[in-house]
Amino acid sequence: MVAQNKKARHDYAIIDTYEAGLVLTGTEVKSLREGRTSLTDGFVQIDRGEAWLHNAHIPEYHQGSWTNHSARRKRKLLLHREEIDKLAVKAEETGHTIVPLALYFKDGRAKAEIALARGKKEYDKRQTLREQQDRRETDRAIAAAKRRQRG
């Protein structure tokens, strides 16, 4: 795992996830392997039948020279035609967007996990936090009861 977008899971309700390949230059791959990437402002846009990753920050490779890339350029995502068509239709619905969740390497190739998501309202975020906190408390109580039972 190179980078995760934890903010996306907090701000959006994830509907469906996809794995996409990334078209990168050599210095981008080397910079990714160093692991200093940020996806917090990133989003995916479908343009003329192609998926593009915008605003993902892959810093310049420190040993690169004139061949270095720009840090926030748009990058093409490699998806099947059916997946792009499905995402394009769903993304045009009100309140839906496509966000990057993670960047990672799989069999030596850079991959992006993207998700079709719906924005959460403020009360939805509070409700999610409350549910997580309740789940944590019940897990702690169960673990404490098991420890008492053994001892």
Side-chain angles (χ1 to χ4, degrees), residues 21-57:
L22 277 166
V23 177
L24 300 173
T25 64
T27 55
E28 286 175 321
V29 174
K30 290 178 181 183
S31 185
L32 269 180
R33 290 198 187 278
E34 289 179 346
R36 301 176 328 196
T37 305
S38 174
L39 293 173
T40 53
D41 298 331
F43 63 95
V44 176
Q45 191 173 31
I46 309 292
D47 183 31
R48 289 187 233 135
E50 296 178 335
W52 295 89
L53 176 63
H54 292 269
N55 279 352
H57 184 264

Side-chain angles (χ1 to χ4, degrees), residues 7 41 46 78 80 147 149:
K7 187 177 177 187
D41 298 331
I46 309 292
L78 304 172
H80 291 285
R147 277 194 300 265
Q149 203 174 33

Side-chain angles (χ1 to χ4, degrees), residues 1 10-11 14 16 33 37-38 40 43 48 53 58 66-67 75 77 80 85 92 94 96-97 111 114 129 137 139:
M1 187 70 59
H10 181 269
D11 291 342
I14 306 301
D16 201 6
R33 290 198 187 278
T37 305
S38 174
T40 53
F43 63 95
R48 289 187 233 135
L53 176 63
I58 300 176
W66 57 272
T67 59
R75 294 161 179 96
L77 294 173
H80 291 285
D85 293 341
E92 288 182 14
T94 309
H96 289 84
T97 187
K111 302 287 183 178
I114 61 173
L129 288 173
E137 287 175 5
D139 290 345

Side-chain angles (χ1 to χ4, degrees), residues 21-149:
L22 277 166
V23 177
L24 300 173
T25 64
T27 55
E28 286 175 321
V29 174
K30 290 178 181 183
S31 185
L32 269 180
R33 290 198 187 278
E34 289 179 346
R36 301 176 328 196
T37 305
S38 174
L39 293 173
T40 53
D41 298 331
F43 63 95
V44 176
Q45 191 173 31
I46 309 292
D47 183 31
R48 289 187 233 135
E50 296 178 335
W52 295 89
L53 176 63
H54 292 269
N55 279 352
H57 184 264
I58 300 176
E60 289 187 351
Y61 183 55
H62 67 276
Q63 291 179 340
S65 58
W66 57 272
T67 59
N68 244 335
H69 61 279
S70 69
R72 290 207 182 263
R73 75 175 187 92
K74 68 179 189 175
R75 294 161 179 96
K76 189 175 181 178
L77 294 173
L78 304 172
L79 290 161
H80 291 285
R81 170 65 45 212
E82 303 85 40
E83 292 174 333
I84 292 174
D85 293 341
K86 187 189 297 185
L87 281 171
V89 169
K90 293 284 190 176
E92 288 182 14
E93 292 179 13
T94 309
H96 289 84
T97 187
I98 308 167
V99 293
L101 297 178
L103 286 178
Y104 54 92
F105 284 99
K106 182 177 178 183
D107 298 328
R109 301 190 188 276
K111 302 287 183 178
E113 182 181 13
I114 61 173
L116 178 67
R118 185 180 61 248
K120 285 184 183 177
K121 302 280 190 232
E122 197 62 38
Y123 58 84
D124 289 335
K125 294 178 192 177
R126 284 195 298 267
Q127 179 66 29
T128 303
L129 288 173
R130 196 173 304 120
E131 288 171 0
Q132 289 174 350
Q133 197 172 25
D134 291 345
R135 202 173 313 119
R136 243 182 257 126
E137 287 175 5
T138 56
D139 290 345
R140 284 187 192 130
I142 290 171
K146 285 183 179 179
R147 277 194 300 265
R148 280 192 302 258
Q149 203 174 33

